[in-house]
Amino acid sequence: MSQASTQKLVAVAILALLLLIWQFLPPALGVPKYIVPTVSDMLTELGRMYRRENLIANVASTAIFTVLGFAIGSALGAAIGYLLGLSAFWERVLSPYILALQIAPKVAFAPLFIMWFGYNSTPKLLVTVLIVFFPVLVNVLAAMKTVDRDMVNLARAYSLNRWEIFKKVEFPSTLPNLMAGLRIASTLAVIGVTVGELVGGNTGLGFLISYGGGQANAAMVFNAIVLLTIIGIVLYSVLVWAEERLLHYIPKKDH
Amino acid sequence: MALEFTGVTKTFTLPDGKDLTAVRDINFTVGQGEFVSVVGPSGCGKSTILSMTAGLYQPTSGAVRVSGEVVTKPNPHVGFMLQKDLLLPWRTIIKNVEFGLESRGVPKAERRERALFELDRCHLKGFEDHYPYQLSGGMRQRAALARTLAIDPAIILLDEPFSALDAQTKLLIQNSFAETIQEAGITTLLITHDLSEAVIMSDRVLVLSERPGTVMREIPIDLPDRAHPLKRRQMPEIHQHASEIFTLLRLDQRAA
């Protein structure tokens, strides 16, 4: 058997083992199902959520705002990262503010956004945009500062103008860092949306978590967490897929 | 004259406000088709000479002329190559060779044709669609030479282009560069710290003093086979010239 198929087999075996332990260990230890629900409890609850709690609409809302917040936040982060990267002056003037905002816990802004915009989708979108913005900005800015000066000089010697130098040398040079920033941002986007929905939403998986928590329905909370994780994994996988295609010219390291 | 330095001095202002004179009163000329090397102790301003020829910055006083015209901005008639190949890793080899032509209004078909011609001349036929990471260090430097030649420069500046290569590759690439440069009939200024490299490859060697660098001596190398450094390496005169430069640079005393 090849090594790859052995790996797959072991991975599936571990998953099966985990699910079995989850199904049988808590009842065996006498843990009640409102504390730790079993796998079958969760599946039953998932069916009920589908019929009674508008599960599809809630998943769709969270997924859409995750992607939307990720797209807007990373576009803004990249745009400002590149602009600051082109101007050493503004980068120096604004860097203390960027650092302060980067350190400030973004999710703590959620109640403020609800006070300003009310109980609708705007606050959760804003939290997501804000949380996604910084890792992208910081990665892009760091990459712009480390573009090979000799490469830029070569482009200048070849009579490229400022815009062409950006387009043909600087932007492609920063692509690996931009992609790394986007990958980090994709995982944060799920957190942003969840917090927005937890604090003041009436739709989405974050809302189902606080609703289920209020009813002591642990199975509902677990299900929502699993679905949030799946949304995050899908977004992350899309980015990894895109990165492998965009950065095909970087030789892969063997592990 | 292809290249002419007259009374060139370059002073930099350091971040702490002090002035640093990198080169002082440099005078030399390089004739059409000539291959001239510049050697000198480290920090003597070799790279400053190169940057001023490329037009990346201007002398504080004096003038640099390429084909009789004073260099005041990045000069499209100067091609330069560094120790790093500076190939764009996201472009194929042929697209890298075309890079220098893209901002010069050369039509696409002609760009491709010229790139193919230069790749052939640099013995890289068949590697057009490879990416830089798929090539060895020596092949990458040849690709960089092809890119440099593709812009049809009046002069090429080589800044230690062989110093990152292993000893054997270096000999082969020196030979291949010498052949290609001879065949193209192109004026070349080579900056190097390798004394024997300077002697085997050049028509003439300029020896610079310590900073602020100035031309201490011009040593003509009147030997045949400039296009074949491997053959020249066997000639006894090479060692005489190299040891003459060695003495000029007082390397033995500096080692003490």
Side-chain angles (χ1 to χ4, degrees), chain A residues 17-153:
Chain A
L17 190 68
L18 276 174
L19 290 174
L20 280 173
I21 291 172
W22 195 340
Q23 176 66 25
F24 294 109
L25 191 63
L29 296 174
V31 180
K33 69 176 186 179
Y34 60 85
I35 303 287
V36 180
T38 63
V39 176
S40 58
D41 292 336
M42 282 167 60
L43 288 172
T44 315
E45 174 60 17
L46 196 66
R48 195 197 65 78
M49 286 163 79
Y50 175 70
R51 290 188 304 274
R52 295 287 171 86
E53 309 290 355
N54 233 344
L55 183 64
I56 300 298
N58 282 313
V59 170
S61 167
T62 300
I64 288 167
F65 279 96
T66 303
V67 172
L68 203 60
F70 170 77
I72 298 172
S74 44
L76 282 175
I80 293 177
Y82 284 119
L83 284 175
L84 291 179
L86 290 172
S87 161
F89 174 79
W90 286 109
E91 194 263 320
R92 264 183 233 123
V93 170
L94 295 177
S95 64
Y97 302 98
I98 292 168
L99 186 66
L101 272 170
Q102 197 196 339
I103 292 168
K106 263 71 69 184
V107 294
F109 286 81
L112 208 57
F113 291 150
I114 290 165
M115 282 161 53
W116 293 343
F117 300 101
Y119 285 84
N120 52 41
S121 302
T122 313
K124 70 176 177 183
L125 183 63
L126 285 180
V127 177
T128 312
V129 168
L130 201 60
I131 204 169
V132 162
F133 179 79
F134 289 98
V136 178
L137 182 148
V138 170
N139 266 37
V140 165
L141 188 54
M144 281 293 280
K145 288 207 277 191
T146 52
V147 172
D148 191 336
R149 296 330 294 165
D150 290 325
M151 210 100 118
V152 173
N153 279 337

